Amino acid sequence: MRRLSLRPTRVGAVVLCALAFFVACIALTAWQEPQPLQRGFIAGLMLCTFGVLLFAFGRFATALLVGGGLFLLLKSVAVLKLRYLDSQLMPSDFVYYVRSSLLDTLSHYPHLYTVGIGLGVLLPPLLYLVWRWDWRVLERPRSRRVAGVRLGGVASCALALWLCMLPSGPFARVHSRNAWQKMSDDAQLTNFFVNLHDADVELPAMADDAVAERDWGATAQGAPGSTSPPYPDIVQVLEESTFDPSIYDVCDVPPCRVAMFRPDARTRAHGTLRVHTFGGGTWVSEFAALTGMPQDIFGPGGMYAPYVLAPNVRDALALQLRRLGYLTIGVYPTSADFINGRNAYQAYGFDHLYGADELGLEEWEESDAQMFAAARRLYDKLKKPGQPVFLMILTLNQHGPHDHQPMATLPRPYRNLLRGLPANAALNFDTYLARLHASDLAMHALEHAFLDRPQPTVLAHFGDHQPSFNGLIRDLPRRLPPALQPYRDYLTYYMLKSNFAGPPLPQYPLLDIAFLPSMVLQAAGVPTDAYFTAATELRERCHGQYDDCAVPGLLASYHAWTIGRLHVYQ
């Protein structure tokens, strides 16, 4: 009796199961994106990937299983990262986490080990069975025509994949969103693939070594400080979306003139701060204020500084202070892991970073007063006799939107305060002023806590960028000197105070945020290493400007010295 082969039945079953799995993968990945175009984008990438694998392997079910499985795995990793680390999956994670913190992350979530072990045990035999019983297509031994078709198929599908990924290609609209949207909305897979292009990092132009040595060799030994140990405490506050409203023509009432922007007897330096982002992107101002480098010198990837730049930083404000014996502490109004914060702060040189949950606060909802009170409690707990502290505090009181509640909900003095504005612009501005009043009171209390005491202390606070007011703020007239008009959308403020006397600090018509660390170090009177000594020299020679330094070639030689010779970014 002739024995019947079960192979056709097995082949059909494997193919049908693989098709069902691939459709399920599309439903669980592409169809989870919020916008139809984003769904089409991910589905298109999946089909192109399937095509590449089909022509490469010559096996139908294997291409479906591997292609769909890769996207499903990517989605799973993105969901896990968002759930446990409160930030989006970025392409750089596959370099950064694997290289530096994957095992540490997994150690906090032991059940992930179980998932990894299960996949390692189950996947190999499953792939083997599918491979063995698969429907083999385009497979004729020693056939040049088949080999040509397969090679051409791989090339065609790869080209289609490249076109889908091209920022100017058929899915250009999925690329045309700002960095905040790409790092915070629900389009997890779309953002991941879009950021493959956006996260490209380029080193700035550099002069040759001889020119760098000529211009900066005198700074190689660093510079002594004006004070002796124990050094003063340093408290630095990044005020989210905060600017001096009195520069706007429409803001001509007393509540527009706020004390936190006005110098007093303790003020060492203050003025207009030039930042490198508008309406969002606090993390890049944070990067510049801690490292002394504006993110835009690194090309488009600089906008993703906590992910792609921070791991390569080799010198920064906190690192310098820690070398001098400081305890370095960061205080966050969100989860400490938000937008890779914990890893970034570790790279910047912080001993500790405390998020809202660790401070007993409700993230995204804290007032400045609550943040400052929590920071003071933390300071009192960690402060040791004889050891100076660097305390970096971020606030969220002014985070947009500024029009999500009606005018009637504002405190009574701030309802319809500004006249001559369209209704929506008036609501945004009045809301900003109401919140600014609360921030001003909180800052006064913070000054009392840290400056009205014998312990020598430097207090610095600054705005990270202007809010956009849904784009309405750009068109509002401002009272600015002609030299500042080109920077009108990138101007905030900075204030440096201390409760001890020290050498006078320079005043500039415009100070780039990248020079803020060198100003803080100078105010504290501590020694500076070769990098911050060079940064101070650049600030003085360029009169506070960075990107627009008026001395020809000086910035290129500075980058050759600091990045090429000192390896502050490597």
Side-chain angles (χ1 to χ4, degrees), residues 209-226:
D209 289 343
V211 173
E213 177 69 32
R214 180 199 68 197
D215 288 344
W216 306 101
T219 66
Q221 301 305 313
S226 59

Side-chain angles (χ1 to χ4, degrees), residues 66-211:
V66 174
L70 286 174
F71 278 81
L72 185 60
L73 178 62
L74 195 64
K75 177 67 174 180
S76 301
V77 172
V79 170
L80 286 172
K81 190 186 176 200
L82 188 63
R83 178 179 177 183
Y84 292 114
L85 301 182
D86 199 24
S87 61
Q88 293 256 5
L89 183 68
M90 300 284 289
S92 58
D93 289 336
F94 288 96
V95 176
Y96 183 57
Y97 275 105
V98 171
R99 184 180 65 192
S100 63
S101 58
L102 178 62
L103 294 178
D104 179 64
T105 301
L106 290 176
S107 68
H108 289 83
Y109 310 104
H111 67 279
L112 295 180
Y113 278 119
T114 306
V115 174
I117 292 172
L119 290 174
V121 170
L122 295 176
L123 276 181
L126 176 62
L127 288 173
Y128 169 75
L129 292 175
V130 171
W131 182 275
R132 181 179 178 185
W133 293 331
D134 205 349
W135 173 26
R136 303 181 183 183
V137 296
L138 298 173
E139 189 172 79
R140 289 184 182 177
R142 297 180 297 277
S143 173
R144 293 183 179 179
R145 179 177 297 178
V146 170
V149 170
R150 290 180 62 174
L151 184 61
V154 168
S156 298
C157 293
L159 177 62
L161 184 66
W162 177 77
L163 288 173
C164 289
M165 293 281 294
L166 202 63
S168 58
F171 294 100
R173 282 176 52 200
V174 304
H175 293 264
S176 59
R177 293 171 299 139
N178 62 44
W180 170 249
Q181 291 172 320
K182 295 174 186 176
M183 296 175 72
S184 64
D185 67 12
D186 294 329
Q188 294 173 350
L189 290 184
T190 297
N191 294 337
F192 176 84
F193 286 104
V194 165
N195 285 325
L196 285 171
H197 285 285
D198 289 354
D200 292 340
V201 173
E202 306 164 0
L203 291 179
M206 300 184 198
D208 59 44
D209 289 343
V211 173

Side-chain angles (χ1 to χ4, degrees), residues 478-535:
R478 276 155 267 197
R479 294 182 290 269
L480 292 172
L484 300 187
Q485 285 291 345
Y487 308 101
R488 52 180 283 154
D489 292 330
Y490 299 93
L491 302 179
T492 62
Y493 83 99
Y494 74 99
M495 178 68 68
L496 266 169
K497 296 184 178 184
S498 70
N499 60 359
F500 60 91
L505 297 180
Q507 294 289 139
Y508 304 100
L510 182 67
L511 179 71
D512 195 288
I513 190 173
F515 292 128
L516 196 58
S518 65
M519 291 285 286
V520 169
L521 292 171
Q522 191 172 352
V526 299
T528 53
D529 64 2
Y531 170 48
F532 283 109
T533 302

Side-chain angles (χ1 to χ4, degrees), residues 26 48 93 260 294 305 333 341 350 361 424 447 473 480 522 559:
I26 291 178
C48 292
D93 289 336
M260 64 185 287
F350 282 82
L361 301 174
N424 199 23
E447 289 186 9
I473 203 171
L480 292 172
Q522 191 172 352
H559 290 149

Side-chain angles (χ1 to χ4, degrees), residues 26-41:
I26 291 178
L28 294 171
T29 56
W31 249 243
Q32 299 301 310
E33 301 296 282
Q35 300 295 327
L37 188 64
Q38 294 167 345
R39 296 170 196 158
F41 174 61

